[in-house]
Amino acid sequence: MKKGVRIAIAVVVGIAAGSWFFRDKSPTPEKLDAALSNMPSWQVIKEQEPAFRSKIQDQVLAMNKAGKTEQQIIDTIQPQILNLQMARLQTAPDANVVEYMKLNIEQIAAMQKLSDDNCFRFVYPEVKGGVNPMRLLDKDLMQRRMQADATMMRAAVGPNKHTVTPQETTRAETDVVPIIQKLTLKYGDDIELLQSPSKGKGKEKLSCDLIQDLWNNVLALPEPQAAGLIRYSVSDL
């Protein structure tokens, strides 16, 4: 696994922001902020990145005014919030990094129970267009995910924040080798779907199985190694 393998995370706060506009006929920044005020991850963004929060609000309002669809808004703002969260993973403590990924995999598994196509769209929205998990998945699961997001982001700047060392990076590069060897034996040439999601059209089930298999193998490692490998895999996103 090289750095840059899609971590396959849907950012809940971005999805909620996109969805809200289609329930409000006269959206304003104040209304958007109020609508998202009960979302823990939005509160953390307000605290930590006020300029970024304003930028996202302005962008969502402009897209709505231009007549963009709910999914177009989601697909535009989600990667921006994802990049912020991936940066926070670099300094979040091991336990928070692992919990963040566990809930992500739980969401992917829940989405695949609905259909392979929904799962693929959830994991790779840039290939076939995304789906809105807030309309599809259990509310309790979504709430746990949002809380994990917020806890991770706060811990990433807290007194116990993590520092990635060269030794951690070297260990991650070593730890991933047997995982990729194992997956290559199981999936053969289809292992390339991790690097080229666009080739997953027509192989939606296989793509979803593969991404879950990858991260479940990572999560089976001792916590410090699992966290280190997660950080390494997203460090250039």
Side-chain angles (χ1 to χ4, degrees), residues 115-127:
S115 78
D116 294 323
D117 187 67
N118 277 338
C119 177
F120 186 84
R121 290 177 183 273
F122 176 69
V123 173
Y124 301 118
E126 74 281 7
V127 178

Side-chain angles (χ1 to χ4, degrees), residues 48-189:
Q48 296 181 349
E49 301 287 345
F52 177 76
R53 186 274 310 260
S54 296
K55 174 191 170 186
I56 291 295
Q57 283 184 331
D58 291 346
Q59 190 172 21
V60 173
L61 285 163
M63 292 186 71
N64 181 72
K65 186 175 182 180
K68 301 299 183 182
T69 67
E70 173 184 282
Q71 197 61 50
Q72 285 174 320
I73 293 174
I74 291 170
D75 290 346
T76 298
I77 62 177
Q78 179 171 300
Q80 299 176 62
I81 299 174
L82 177 61
N83 285 340
L84 174 62
Q85 292 189 348
M86 295 305 95
R88 291 291 187 272
L89 279 178
Q90 298 303 309
T91 57
D94 294 343
N96 299 103
V97 173
V98 168
E99 181 65 13
Y100 184 90
M101 180 56 71
K102 282 182 177 178
L103 280 166
N104 176 55
I105 297 304
E106 188 176 345
Q107 283 184 304
I108 293 174
M111 193 65 76
Q112 192 170 21
K113 287 182 179 179
L114 298 176
S115 78
D116 294 323
D117 187 67
N118 277 338
C119 177
F120 186 84
R121 290 177 183 273
F122 176 69
V123 173
Y124 301 118
E126 74 281 7
V127 178
K128 294 178 63 176
V131 293
N132 186 342
M134 297 194 75
R135 298 185 185 279
L136 298 171
L137 296 183
D138 179 76
K139 290 182 179 179
D140 175 69
L141 173 56
M142 299 302 291
Q143 187 61 42
R144 287 189 289 116
R145 166 65 196 281
M146 287 188 282
Q147 188 57 58
D149 289 0
T151 300
M152 181 276 290
M153 292 180 73
R154 283 202 173 94
V157 298
N160 297 317
K161 68 180 183 179
H162 180 80
T163 299
V164 176
T165 64
Q167 291 79 11
E168 177 182 313
T169 300
T170 300
R171 182 60 188 262
E173 291 172 339
T174 301
D175 285 339
V176 76
V177 172
I179 293 176
I180 294 301
Q181 288 175 339
K182 178 181 177 181
L183 294 180
T184 301
L185 285 172
K186 183 175 181 179
Y187 294 96
D189 291 342

Side-chain angles (χ1 to χ4, degrees), residues 20-32 61 64:
W20 171 76
F21 274 98
F22 293 86
R23 297 194 301 269
D24 193 291
K25 298 186 182 302
S26 56
T28 65
E30 293 76 20
K31 286 184 177 181
L32 173 59
L61 285 163
N64 181 72

